[in-house]
Amino acid sequence: MDAPVLHGKSGGRDLTQGPIASTLLMFAIPTLASNILQSLNGSINAIWVGRFLGAQALAATANANIVMFLMFSVVFGFGMASTVMVAQAVGRGDIDVARRAFGSAIGFCTMLALVVAAAGWIWSPDLLRLLATPAEAFSLALVYLRVIFIAMPASLLSVMMMMGLRGAGDSRTPLIFMILSVAIDLVLNPVLILGLGPIPAMGIAGSAAATAGAGFISLIALVCYTYARDLPLRLRGAELRYLRPTAEQMRILFGKGLPMGLQMIVMSASGLMMIGLVNREGLAVTAAYGASQQLWTYLQMPSMAVGAAVSAMAAQNIGAGRWDRISRIAGVGIGFQLLITGTMAAAMLAFHDPLLGLFLGKNVAVIDAAWHMQIRVSWSYVAFGCTMVLFGMLRANGVVVKPLLILLLSLFGARIGFYELFYPHLGVDALWFSFPAGSLTSLLLAAIVYFQGGWRKATLLAPVHEEECRETVHAEGEPAGRIIPAG
C-alpha cells in the first residue's frame, strides 16, 4: 500500500529538517500560547468567582479543579500515546499509519470519556469527601463539579484532536481553537454568573456552564475546520473504520498510554493528597492555596509546552532515523525551558502583591499566606520543567514506565515523605518545602535515566504490512462525507 506523504500538505510541519532551535521555538510558541490562554481563562474565571462569590466559592473551585485533573488523566495518557505514534509515522512520511493511530485513539477515548463523565456525576460527592473539602465550600464545589462533568466528553475530544494535530507538526490550528474557546468562556462567565438581561444569575454553576458551552462550541468548530481544510488527520470513507481500534492498536494504546495516563494520575493523586493536607490548615490557607495554584499553573505552562514540542520533534526525528539530532533537541529544549520559566518565576515574585490581589481582593491575611507559599514553592518549577523535557525525550521513543516510577518516588517518596518527616519541626512550612524536595528528586532521577541511554533502544511502532492495510480499509463499505470527530 502506498503511504501518503504528509509534508507539503496543509497543516503539517516537517520537524526533521532545518535548524533545531528556531524550528523547535516556532513549533513550541503556539503550544505555549495555547496553554497560557487556557490558564489565563481559568484565572479570569477564578477572579470572577473570588471577587463576586467570595472565598468559599474560590475554595470550592480549587477542590473541584483537582478532581477534574484526576478525571482528565484517565484518558490523557492515550492521547499522549497516539501523539507519539502519529509523530513517528509522520517522520517516516506515512500518513495512513498516522490516521490509523489517531482514529483508534479517538474512537476508544470517546467511549471512555462518556463513561468517566457519567461516573463522575454520580460519585462527585464521594470525591469531594475524599478531599476533606471544607463544609462551607462543599455544596458550591458539588454544583460546580457536576456541571463541569457534563462538558467532559467535549473537552477531552478537543484535547485529543489538538494533541494529534501537534504530533503531525501543526501547532497553529490548536491555538486558533483555543482562542475561540477562551473567548466564548470569557464572554459567558460574567453573563451566567451575575445574570445579565433575561438570563438569570446562576452563581458558581454559571461559571461551570460557561466552560461547558465553550467546550462544545469549540469542538464542533474544530471538527468542521478539520474537514473544510482537509487537514492531514481527517478520516473519510473507508478510513472511518480506523475509529474501531485493532488488537494491535489497542495493545500499543494500553501498553504505552496507560503508563502515561498513570503518570498524570500519580501527579493528580499527589495533588489530591496535598490539598487534603492544606484543607486541614483551615479555610484561609485553602483559599490562599487556590490563588497560588493559579499562578503556579502559569509556571508549569512553559514546561508542558516545551516538553510537548520536544517530544513531537524527537518522535518525528526518530521515525525518520535522524538520531544525530536527538541530543541537540534535548539540550535546546532545556535551554528554552530554563529561560522562559526562570523569567516568569522572577516576574511573579517581583509583582506578587497585585497578582495575588486579583484573586483575593484586599484580604490581607489570605494574601500574606499566599505570599508565604510563593517564596518557598515558585522556584521549584524550574527544576520541574527540566524534568518534563527529559520525560518528553523518553516518551518520544515509547519509554513510559521509568518516568512513571520516577514520579512515584519523587511525589510520594520525596514530597509526602518530606512533609511527614518535617511537619513536627516546621509546621505548615513542611508542605511548601516539600515541593522543591519532590522536584529536585525527579530531575535527578530523570537525568540519570536519560544519560544512561538505554531508552534509545526501545521500539514503539511495528511496521504495518501492505496487505493488512488493504484488508482493513476495504473490508466493508463506509458511507463517505459524514463528519466524524476524528481529527
Side-chain angles (χ1 to χ4, degrees), residues 160-229:
M160 290 285 294
M161 291 186 67
M162 291 178 181
M163 292 174 70
L165 289 170
R166 292 186 185 114
D170 180 6
S171 58
R172 177 177 171 272
T173 299
L175 174 60
I176 293 172
F177 288 92
M178 182 58 66
I179 292 173
L180 174 64
S181 178
V182 168
I184 294 171
D185 201 0
L186 291 180
V187 171
L188 290 181
N189 246 282
V191 172
L192 298 182
I193 289 176
L194 300 175
L196 300 180
I199 299 175
M202 298 172 62
I204 196 170
S207 178
T211 301
F216 280 106
I217 294 171
S218 61
L219 172 63
I220 293 170
L222 177 57
V223 172
C224 293
Y225 180 88
T226 297
Y227 280 86
R229 294 293 299 272

Side-chain angles (χ1 to χ4, degrees), residues 117 125 169 171 192 231 242 248 272 276 301 303 310 349 377 400 422 473:
S171 58
L192 298 182
L231 296 185
Y242 295 162
E248 177 64 16
L272 288 172
M301 290 302 101
S303 306
V310 161
L349 292 175
V377 174
V400 293
F422 288 99
V473 172

Side-chain angles (χ1 to χ4, degrees), residues 51-242:
R51 297 293 289 271
F52 290 97
L53 300 177
Q56 291 181 356
L58 185 62
T61 60
N63 280 265
N65 286 336
I66 287 289
V67 174
M68 289 309 302
F69 183 74
L70 175 61
M71 295 299 101
F72 268 79
S73 301
V74 174
V75 298
F76 195 67
F78 298 109
M80 291 190 287
S82 68
T83 298
V84 173
M85 289 191 287
V86 166
Q88 286 201 11
V90 166
R92 293 199 309 270
D94 192 343
I95 189 58
D96 185 72
V97 171
R99 289 173 181 165
R100 181 187 299 269
F102 186 58
S104 297
I106 288 289
F108 172 72
C109 288
T110 298
M111 294 182 291
L112 188 58
L114 293 173
V115 172
V116 170
W121 174 278
I122 295 170
W123 289 316
S124 288
D126 302 288
L127 290 169
L128 293 174
R129 292 189 190 98
L130 183 64
L131 282 176
T133 302
E136 54 267 49
F138 188 91
S139 60
L140 292 174
L142 181 60
V143 170
Y144 183 87
L145 186 58
R146 279 185 158 165
V147 176
I148 286 293
F149 267 117
I150 297 175
M152 174 168 283
S155 300
L156 290 177
L157 282 175
S158 294
V159 169
M160 290 285 294
M161 291 186 67
M162 291 178 181
M163 292 174 70
L165 289 170
R166 292 186 185 114
D170 180 6
S171 58
R172 177 177 171 272
T173 299
L175 174 60
I176 293 172
F177 288 92
M178 182 58 66
I179 292 173
L180 174 64
S181 178
V182 168
I184 294 171
D185 201 0
L186 291 180
V187 171
L188 290 181
N189 246 282
V191 172
L192 298 182
I193 289 176
L194 300 175
L196 300 180
I199 299 175
M202 298 172 62
I204 196 170
S207 178
T211 301
F216 280 106
I217 294 171
S218 61
L219 172 63
I220 293 170
L222 177 57
V223 172
C224 293
Y225 180 88
T226 297
Y227 280 86
R229 294 293 299 272
D230 196 30
L231 296 185
L233 294 180
R234 93 294 178 271
L235 302 181
R236 292 188 188 278
E239 293 171 337
L240 294 171
R241 189 60 58 191
Y242 295 162

Side-chain angles (χ1 to χ4, degrees), residues 262 266 402-415:
L262 287 174
V266 165
K402 289 181 179 178
L404 173 61
L405 296 176
I406 289 171
L407 286 177
L408 283 169
L409 288 171
S410 60
L411 295 181
F412 289 96
R415 180 185 287 185

Side-chain angles (χ1 to χ4, degrees), residues 235-325:
L235 302 181
R236 292 188 188 278
E239 293 171 337
L240 294 171
R241 189 60 58 191
Y242 295 162
L243 291 170
R244 286 199 316 203
T246 64
E248 177 64 16
Q249 290 289 338
M250 290 303 299
R251 184 189 67 80
I252 297 174
L253 278 175
F254 272 93
K256 303 301 181 182
L258 193 57
M260 291 186 198
L262 287 174
Q263 290 177 33
M264 303 294 291
I265 290 174
V266 165
M267 294 173 66
S268 58
S270 174
L272 288 172
M273 291 188 68
M274 294 301 291
I275 199 168
L277 296 173
V278 169
N279 285 337
R280 295 174 186 175
E281 303 295 330
L283 181 62
V285 175
T286 300
Y289 187 69
S292 296
Q293 278 185 313
Q294 294 295 325
L295 299 183
W296 294 337
T297 296
Y298 287 98
L299 290 182
Q300 294 180 68
M301 290 302 101
S303 306
M304 305 305 288
V306 175
V310 161
S311 187
M313 175 177 266
Q316 281 200 19
N317 280 271
I318 290 171
R322 294 298 308 273
W323 284 96
D324 56 300
R325 292 163 57 89

